[in-house]
Amino acid sequence: MAELRIAFVPGVTPGKWLERWRERHPEVPVAATRYDDGPDPRGLLASGEADLVFLRFADGVKPADATTHVIPLYEELPVVCAPRDHVVELYDDEVPLADLAREAWLDLADYPPAVGGTAMAMEVVGTGAGLLVLPMSVGRLHRRKDVVQKILAGAPSTRIGVGWLKPLGDDPEDPRVEEFIGIVRGRGANSSRQPSVQERERREAAEAQRKRQRGPQDAPRGGARKTGQRSGGKPSGGNKRRGGPARGRR
């Protein structure tokens, strides 16, 4: 079966799902690639470069569209990234967004992958040029010793979802994709909602039906005949004659 190809945005850790796939379906290879060109890698689905993608979108937005299924998975909290010794470092857990109203802010859009992306933006934060807001998972991925991170209360959060192409017309869903979606949703290996289990049950039911249809035709009729018996159940005497000794002897 063809390899299952997955793309994911930074901050997503698909390792546990990939491991479960390899345990359950070692016959189908799976490959996962990080997508660093933005929060939405759905273009890889349209180009045929990926079968599933993990994408990031703003909380409250419906990410599915006319061509793509998207299932929201979990929410990401926003963090503020500030240089060491900034006032942000004095807060215990969360920093209210209103407390930073007069601060200078960096725009991540000004740091595309061509100039270093998020890693470069975090380096600029370390110089004291401005603060930066990131999803917590991305902030952890780009942690630096000269930058402090705290949850930013009152800032919009983001969500992670998994997306795949809708089938065209009456085409069925890709069973590999459905199987992986079931793993992401936490279904067990023997869940009746998994395509692999449904297929196994169909095969078992078909085999049981074949056995039932074969049974009456193949069963012996009238019982097995014992060796050495003639029709009617009388013992066979071979060439021996009945009634006395054989003639011709004196």
Side-chain angles (χ1 to χ4, degrees):
M1 190 175 289
E3 180 181 60
L4 184 65
R5 299 159 302 167
I6 297 169
F8 59 95
V9 293
V12 175
T13 53
K16 61 181 179 181
W17 300 315
L18 299 177
E19 187 60 29
R20 287 173 189 166
W21 176 273
R22 293 182 179 116
E23 289 174 355
R24 299 182 191 182
H25 306 287
E27 76 285 0
V28 182
V30 59
T33 306
R34 198 172 85 179
Y35 179 79
D36 292 314
D37 292 337
D40 193 343
R42 278 183 285 188
L44 299 179
L45 298 174
S47 66
E49 298 175 72
D51 302 302
L52 293 121
V53 295
F54 288 90
L55 62 152
R56 177 173 287 111
F57 53 94
D59 191 22
V61 171
K62 294 182 179 180
D65 56 31
T67 62
T68 313
H69 291 297
V70 178
I71 298 174
L73 298 177
Y74 57 87
E75 181 183 7
E76 298 178 301
L77 294 177
V79 295
V80 56
C81 305
R84 289 287 178 185
D85 299 326
H86 190 278
V87 66
V88 164
E89 199 168 9
L90 302 178
Y91 289 80
D92 292 332
D93 299 314
E94 298 183 352
V95 182
L97 178 60
D99 289 2
L100 304 176
R102 296 184 179 181
E103 295 289 339
W105 295 88
L106 302 181
D107 188 345
L108 196 57
D110 295 332
Y111 300 89
V115 299
T118 304
M120 177 57 71
M122 288 289 277
E123 186 174 338
V124 175
V125 170
T127 68
L131 308 184
L132 180 67
V133 179
L134 293 174
M136 181 181 286
S137 62
V138 179
R140 289 175 176 173
L141 182 64
H142 295 282
R143 188 180 297 277
R144 292 174 57 93
K145 292 182 179 180
D146 57 353
V147 174
V148 62
Q149 301 180 27
K150 294 293 178 72
I151 295 174
L152 187 58
S157 60
T158 52
R159 286 188 175 273
I160 293 295
V162 59
W164 69 100
L165 286 180
K166 294 179 179 179
L168 296 175
D170 296 330
D171 291 347
E173 294 277 5
D174 186 333
R176 299 172 307 147
V177 171
E178 287 190 291
E179 189 79 12
F180 192 85
I181 293 299
I183 290 176
V184 171
R185 283 180 155 176
R187 294 175 190 159
N190 295 316
S191 170
S192 61
R193 299 185 66 182
Q194 287 294 83
S196 59
V197 175
Q198 294 171 359
E199 177 60 27
R200 186 181 68 216
E201 291 176 345
R202 281 194 293 267
R203 290 198 306 267
E204 292 174 350
E207 180 61 25
Q209 179 66 18
R210 284 194 294 269
K211 288 181 179 180
R212 287 194 296 269
Q213 292 174 347
R214 250 191 344 253
Q217 298 175 2
D218 295 343
R221 297 180 180 180
R225 188 180 296 173
K226 294 182 179 180
T227 303
Q229 286 189 348
R230 295 177 179 175
S231 177
K234 296 181 180 180
S236 173
N239 292 325
K240 291 183 180 181
R241 298 183 180 181
R242 299 178 183 177
R247 296 180 181 178
R249 292 183 181 179
R250 294 184 181 180

